[in-house]
Amino acid sequence: MERQPTAAAPERGRLPADDSRRAIETVFGLESPRVVAAAARVVRDVGIAEELAQDALVAALEQWPRDGVPDNPGAWLTTTARRRAVDLVRRRETYARKLAELGRDLDTVQPFEEPADPDDIDDDLLRLVFTACHPVLSAEARTALVLRLLGGLSTAGIARAFLVPEPTVAQRIVRAKRTLARRNVAFEVPYGPDREARLGSVLDVIYLIFNEGYAATAGDDWLRPALCEDALRLARRLQGLMPKEPEVHALAALLEFQASRTPARTDPDGRPVLLRDQDRRRWSRLLITRGITALARAESAGSGPPGPYALQAAIAACHAHAYTYEDTDWRTIATLYGLLAVRSPSPVVELNRAVAVSMAEGPAEALALVDALAGEPALRDYHLLPSVRGDLLTRLGRTTEARAELERAASLTSNTRERDLLLDRLGELDDGS
């Protein structure tokens, strides 16, 4: 049979025109924290570093569709931003002083190469976290800035996550950058008391970064694994820097346990798989072992009552030790959530406690706890409140009420995969009614 002519193969790395912009923006979304961190190390200004990272994105949008995607697109973006940072420093009147502070010859920067030591990337990210968590910023400003720079969330996404107006978030981010620049905050991991003073905020924002990767606030993907990996690397790095801090080990343990479930949390099409339906044989035993070790280190380092991350890690350990969903020790989990509610009061903690109570004591007892949260302002537009309530009402046979709650939950979430999951649950209700 005569062979049919085939289309010419595209040049290596060359993207079809229709796909190029989307692919570039995807790469930038994954790499932007490292790009910003690398630029900030040169210019010592978080706001300018973010602008330089955007400049690198513009350069990629101009060059990659024409020249093809580099073999290492992340390194290309980082190098481009760093080169522009160097040019900016050279143009400043303080060029000589900046060179002395850098302590290296900026002319030696080579294009498109990864750092010789991969840990250098992690160090820059950790510097960025500590800088953004400086006490000159309010807690709300620190959180918004880190989620923007390291979490890659848009202003609108952060506003949805924290249930505040978008202009409020935008103002927080702008003011935070200006404050850091005006106060000349050093781009560094501080030492001694300064490090300890920022530790609580640093742990909180690392946890927020992980959570955004673990269950994305918005978008088409349920998971953002790169964010989870960055947060886990930062937590492990902190363990080395602060080995005597129990909450550092506790946070690392919590993230190890949570990350262990990642392979089982989505199906081959990227749809979410609920905890009760996950194939636990796919959970990473290596990460679970690391979590157990980190939790033991937290317990040995602590001398007083367990902190909030230690309690959350203990809850995650209960899940990790259960080989099936039915084996889960829900009574212990409910007790631990009760302790957490005392140690770190939060409506979200109470909602999670209600879920554990529903498994340990039944849906009726849990529904009373959930109904008590209905008036909480922080949960007013929180989609998991009607989602949990819908599940409890379903188990109680109150199908009509359950349907209304699940419809409300679906309308509140900004994540496409999560909305589809809620709509599927609605479909199951209709099929069973």
Side-chain angles (χ1 to χ4, degrees), residues 108-185:
T108 63
V109 176
Q110 297 297 321
F112 322 141
E113 292 182 3
E114 290 282 13
D117 181 359
D119 288 342
D120 285 346
I121 292 177
D122 293 341
D123 283 345
D124 280 347
L125 288 176
L126 196 59
R127 290 185 186 97
L128 185 56
V129 170
F130 269 97
T131 300
C133 288
H134 196 282
V136 298
L137 302 180
S138 68
E140 295 82 3
R142 296 172 207 162
T143 300
L145 186 60
V146 170
L147 287 178
R148 173 66 173 268
L149 296 180
L150 279 89
L153 269 69
S154 66
T155 303
I158 299 170
R160 283 193 297 268
F162 289 92
L163 309 177
V164 295
E166 186 174 342
T168 300
V169 173
Q171 290 173 3
R172 286 175 184 172
I173 293 172
V174 170
R175 290 172 181 169
K177 294 175 184 176
R178 288 176 179 170
T179 299
L180 292 176
R182 187 175 65 251
R183 299 291 290 272
N184 197 26
V185 172

Side-chain angles (χ1 to χ4, degrees), residues 98-326:
K98 288 292 184 181
L99 281 183
E101 289 175 358
L102 293 176
R104 59 185 174 85
D105 183 4
L106 298 177
D107 289 330
T108 63
V109 176
Q110 297 297 321
F112 322 141
E113 292 182 3
E114 290 282 13
D117 181 359
D119 288 342
D120 285 346
I121 292 177
D122 293 341
D123 283 345
D124 280 347
L125 288 176
L126 196 59
R127 290 185 186 97
L128 185 56
V129 170
F130 269 97
T131 300
C133 288
H134 196 282
V136 298
L137 302 180
S138 68
E140 295 82 3
R142 296 172 207 162
T143 300
L145 186 60
V146 170
L147 287 178
R148 173 66 173 268
L149 296 180
L150 279 89
L153 269 69
S154 66
T155 303
I158 299 170
R160 283 193 297 268
F162 289 92
L163 309 177
V164 295
E166 186 174 342
T168 300
V169 173
Q171 290 173 3
R172 286 175 184 172
I173 293 172
V174 170
R175 290 172 181 169
K177 294 175 184 176
R178 288 176 179 170
T179 299
L180 292 176
R182 187 175 65 251
R183 299 291 290 272
N184 197 26
V185 172
F187 184 72
E188 65 180 6
V189 176
Y191 294 91
D194 287 343
R195 180 184 295 176
E196 294 174 5
R198 297 188 214 178
L199 180 60
S201 293
V202 168
L203 295 180
D204 289 346
V205 298
I206 290 175
Y207 187 42
L208 284 171
I209 293 166
F210 183 89
N211 277 346
E212 180 58 28
Y214 193 73
T217 305
D220 297 329
D221 297 318
W222 173 241
L223 304 178
R224 298 177 62 190
L227 283 183
C228 292
E229 292 166 6
D230 282 342
L232 194 48
R233 280 197 296 268
L234 291 172
R236 290 170 180 168
R237 172 68 69 187
L238 277 180
Q239 284 184 282
L241 285 174
M242 309 183 77
K244 296 182 180 180
E245 291 289 342
E247 281 290 83
V248 169
H249 297 299
L251 175 65
L254 174 60
L255 302 194
E256 301 279 8
F257 285 133
Q258 298 289 73
S260 72
R261 306 178 201 168
T262 299
R265 293 189 66 237
T266 54
D267 68 11
D269 295 323
R271 293 184 296 242
V273 178
L274 296 176
L275 181 63
R276 65 171 177 263
D277 300 322
Q278 290 174 17
D279 181 356
R280 300 190 177 207
R281 294 171 297 180
R282 299 186 64 201
W283 288 9
S284 170
R285 305 314 300 181
L286 172 62
L287 293 183
I288 290 173
T289 300
R290 292 183 67 111
I292 293 170
T293 301
L295 185 55
R297 292 178 68 184
E299 292 170 350
S300 63
S303 57
Y309 287 115
L311 291 169
Q312 291 180 75
I315 292 168
C318 288
H319 290 294
H321 287 305
Y323 283 96
T324 67
Y325 186 74
E326 292 70 25

